[in-house]
Amino acid sequence: MNIVLLGPPGAGKGTQAARLQAQRGMIQMSTGDMLREAVAQGSPVGLEAKAVMAAGELVSDAIVSALIGERLDAAGSNGAIFDGFPRTREQAEALDLLLAERGRSLDYVIELEVEEDALVERIAGRFSCARCGASYHDRFNLPRQQDLCDLCGSSEFVRRPDDNEQTVRRRMAEYRAKTEPILPYYEERGLVRRVDGMASVEQVAAQIDAILDS
Ligand code: ADP
Ligand code: ADP
Ligand code: ZN
């Protein structure tokens, strides 16, 4: 099973992708995480992406599609969850090609429907595990045990430099202008399923499970 999680910044894509990876052995493919890794390493891709990400704009289609291509072979038979990719029509077409080359295809595109007003608050309170990337929230989604990651037990957490209000607004505008318009591309093929992303983390998880198990 290969699925795409689609939704604006703060919709809950990373939270749900990490859970699916932990519970179903699917592989989380987050281009945001891959790019942050590249920035931290100071690789050529990271050097190119750093300022673009800080501005809340989109990194080039060629770079992110290449990152996904490199990792796709690591996704075993349990499939992949694409989180934050594709973000443009060009990336959607690149993904289809990358999957087809491996005899695979998309099963579902799950759109997390959220109210934009709630997203700034979600993003302002977001922090994540420094080791495994699991996403938490100061109010909505604290680790079960204080200061210990639910998924990997690490006690080190980080906050993203681009999680500030100004950059968030820019990222939302990018989503509306470039990412939302790819929905019809998937709708034509009957792949889109909608989920109420304003529900609790557990309720969103239950809605996604119902789709995957249908
Ligand atoms: P969020 O979790 O807020 O949706 P991400 O972690 O997915 O954000 O992405 C953070 C930043 O990384 C984006 O604002 C963008 O600059 C860059 N980025 C991530 N994925 C892509 C992509 N598929 N195409 C272009 N840029 C991307
Ligand atoms: P995305 O990957 O789409 O940018 P995240 O999964 O990182 O979004 O979630 C953004 C923030 O909102 C995180 O702090 C996360 O813990 C929190 N969050 C995720 N899902 C929900 C939810 N259903 N209700 C409330 N907060 C949530
Ligand atoms: Zn962790």
Side-chain angles (χ1 to χ4, degrees):
M1 181 109 66
N2 298 293
I3 67 171
V4 169
L5 295 182
L6 212 60
K13 304 179 297 292
T15 301
Q16 298 298 332
R19 180 191 66 86
L20 288 168
Q21 170 162 292
Q23 292 181 353
R24 292 181 183 245
M26 298 169 80
I27 305 288
Q28 177 181 6
M29 297 270 202
S30 161
T31 41
D33 288 347
M34 293 173 199
L35 289 167
R36 279 185 286 280
E37 235 167 73
V39 169
Q41 287 167 355
S43 72
V45 163
L47 293 177
E48 194 169 332
K50 189 173 181 181
V52 179
M53 293 172 76
E57 289 165 13
L58 293 186
V59 175
S60 79
D61 292 330
I63 285 184
V64 292
S65 300
L67 286 174
I68 288 285
E70 281 165 23
R71 307 276 177 114
L72 211 46
D73 294 314
S77 52
N78 290 336
I81 313 138
F82 298 97
D83 152 18
F85 178 89
R87 266 175 152 93
T88 64
R89 173 69 181 247
E90 286 68 27
Q91 291 178 24
E93 289 171 2
L95 177 58
D96 281 337
L97 211 72
L98 287 166
L99 288 171
E101 284 167 0
R102 291 160 177 81
R104 291 157 56 177
S105 62
L106 285 178
D107 295 281
Y108 297 109
V109 173
I110 298 180
E111 185 192 8
L112 299 171
E113 290 187 299
V114 284
E115 288 155 26
E116 214 171 276
D117 289 346
L119 298 182
V120 173
E121 190 187 4
R122 276 200 192 173
I123 285 173
R126 166 159 67 184
F127 63 98
S128 60
C129 172
R131 190 198 291 166
C132 78
S135 189
Y136 297 97
H137 193 279
D138 292 325
R139 284 183 49 208
F140 306 133
N141 187 23
L142 283 164
R144 280 191 290 271
Q145 247 185 296
Q146 200 186 338
D147 299 330
L148 286 185
C149 176
D150 293 348
L151 297 182
C152 78
S154 168
S155 58
E156 236 190 283
F157 297 94
V158 289
R159 287 181 195 263
R160 284 167 47 174
D162 60 340
D163 277 353
N164 59 77
E165 178 156 0
Q166 194 192 354
T167 308
V168 167
R169 300 265 176 221
R170 178 81 199 129
R171 282 152 59 198
M172 282 176 190
E174 289 282 76
Y175 179 80
R176 258 183 269 116
K178 295 174 185 160
T179 307
E180 224 167 34
I182 67 182
L183 274 163
Y185 176 73
Y186 290 127
E187 258 156 12
E188 276 169 22
R189 285 146 62 188
L191 293 178
V192 179
R193 301 289 182 276
R194 294 198 164 76
V195 153
D196 174 16
M198 296 308 295
S200 70
V201 172
E202 291 73 25
Q203 286 166 336
V204 175
Q207 293 177 72
I208 293 174
D209 283 341
I211 293 165
L212 300 190
D213 296 332
S214 66

